[in-house]
Amino acid sequence: MMPGLKTDPLNDNDGRAASSSDEMARLVAVVAALREHCPWTAALTHDSLTTYLLEESYELIEALETGRSDHVAAELGDILLQVVLHARLAEEAGNFVLADVARGLSEKLIRRSPHVFQADGGLQETFPATIAEIEETWERVKAEERAANSTANGEPPPDPAAPDKGPFAGIPRSLPALAMAQKSLERAARAGLAMPPADAPLGAGSPDAEHIVTEEQLGKVLFDVVRVAQRQGLDAERALRIAVRDFQGRSDPL
């Protein structure tokens, strides 16, 4: 939780029945007032908020995994606070406002979901698309958007072989390594890329800890683990997190 900031600082219990738009307008007004009258909030910048955004994201993941709806609602509020704060900073700088963020997101979802929406935003009459077709369309439209943005900015056409231009474009370099590996494998599968064989199949004959002596060897083994998880439809990052928590629960304190 960010010190000094709560998602409902006015504590208006009568606002529970208000509409979503009313509550969003109230939240925007609260944040604007904090920026104007609270020295701590006024000192915030995009850079200083980055650490909080990462922390709040992991707290939301933990709340989702525990299944407590009250915790999920609170953590979603903290994530929403981050969005509103960043939008407020941008508005003060004359770059964009929160409405631009919402409008851009709506337009992107409509553009990338032709199985649900017509070009003007109206609903289609039927919704026959399969999951595979939906994913293919989403990635294709996203690639078209990326190419159009490059052209508009005077950049050279995207190079499909470049990590930041091809099927792996948009994967954050700051992702945890396991999550980055799994996301890369998902993208490669969608793009139909040929996958090199694993260096050593997991199971019988796999190298144990004593035979791993370099980071390169360890990295290849970990990547093969992620590939197995990907084939089985498992989340390697979540699996490791659960295993660590299980270890923490079984370990005696020093």
Side-chain angles (χ1 to χ4, degrees):
M1 177 69 65
M2 296 172 59
L5 285 181
K6 304 293 183 181
T7 55
D8 190 13
L10 296 189
N11 195 27
D12 181 5
N13 294 326
D14 295 332
R16 291 176 62 87
S19 68
S20 297
S21 59
D22 289 341
E23 289 297 347
M24 278 299 301
R26 177 165 167 254
L27 175 59
V28 170
V30 168
V31 170
L34 286 170
R35 283 288 294 172
E36 183 176 356
H37 302 294
C38 171
W40 189 89
T41 312
L44 293 172
T45 65
H46 287 300
D47 288 339
S48 68
L49 282 169
T50 301
T51 300
Y52 296 119
L53 177 58
L54 185 61
E55 178 183 334
E56 302 293 6
S57 298
Y58 281 114
E59 289 181 1
L60 173 58
I61 291 172
E62 183 171 351
L64 291 168
E65 290 176 346
T66 60
R68 286 281 302 274
S69 60
D70 54 337
H71 291 176
V72 172
E75 298 304 338
L76 282 172
D78 291 336
I79 294 292
L80 180 58
L81 175 58
Q82 293 285 317
V83 174
V84 175
L85 274 170
H86 280 287
R88 178 65 190 183
L89 290 169
E91 180 177 357
E92 293 171 2
N95 296 328
F96 56 83
V97 299
L98 184 61
D100 297 323
V101 177
R103 183 185 308 107
L105 177 57
S106 294
E107 292 174 352
K108 179 171 69 174
L109 291 173
I110 291 170
R111 209 167 44 242
R112 296 185 183 180
S113 306
H115 60 290
V116 174
F117 301 103
Q118 300 178 21
D120 62 0
L123 290 176
Q124 299 284 5
E125 294 183 0
T126 59
F127 312 96
T130 66
I131 297 297
E133 291 170 340
I134 292 169
E135 291 177 344
E136 188 279 329
T137 299
W138 182 278
E139 294 300 327
R140 174 177 53 78
V141 174
K142 185 165 63 173
E144 292 171 354
E145 292 170 354
R146 192 179 300 119
N149 289 336
S150 297
T151 301
N153 295 331
E155 301 174 3
D159 178 6
D164 59 341
K165 298 295 184 181
F168 308 118
I171 298 179
R173 300 295 178 89
S174 57
L175 270 181
L178 280 177
M180 184 185 294
Q182 187 141 359
K183 179 65 70 174
S184 299
L185 287 167
E186 291 173 0
R187 295 285 189 86
R190 289 180 187 175
L193 300 181
M195 297 298 298
D199 287 344
L202 297 178
S206 294
D208 54 32
E210 287 73 17
H211 294 121
I212 299 174
V213 296
T214 68
E215 288 187 348
E216 181 180 5
Q217 291 175 324
L218 178 61
K220 290 179 179 179
V221 170
L222 290 173
F223 191 72
D224 287 344
V225 170
V226 178
R227 290 177 62 176
V228 170
Q230 177 69 16
R231 286 199 299 267
Q232 301 297 330
L234 304 174
D235 187 320
E237 192 82 16
R238 183 166 60 241
L240 178 58
R241 189 163 55 247
I242 292 172
V244 171
R245 287 179 183 166
D246 180 64
F247 167 76
Q248 292 172 343
R250 290 185 289 103
S251 298
D252 294 329
L254 297 176

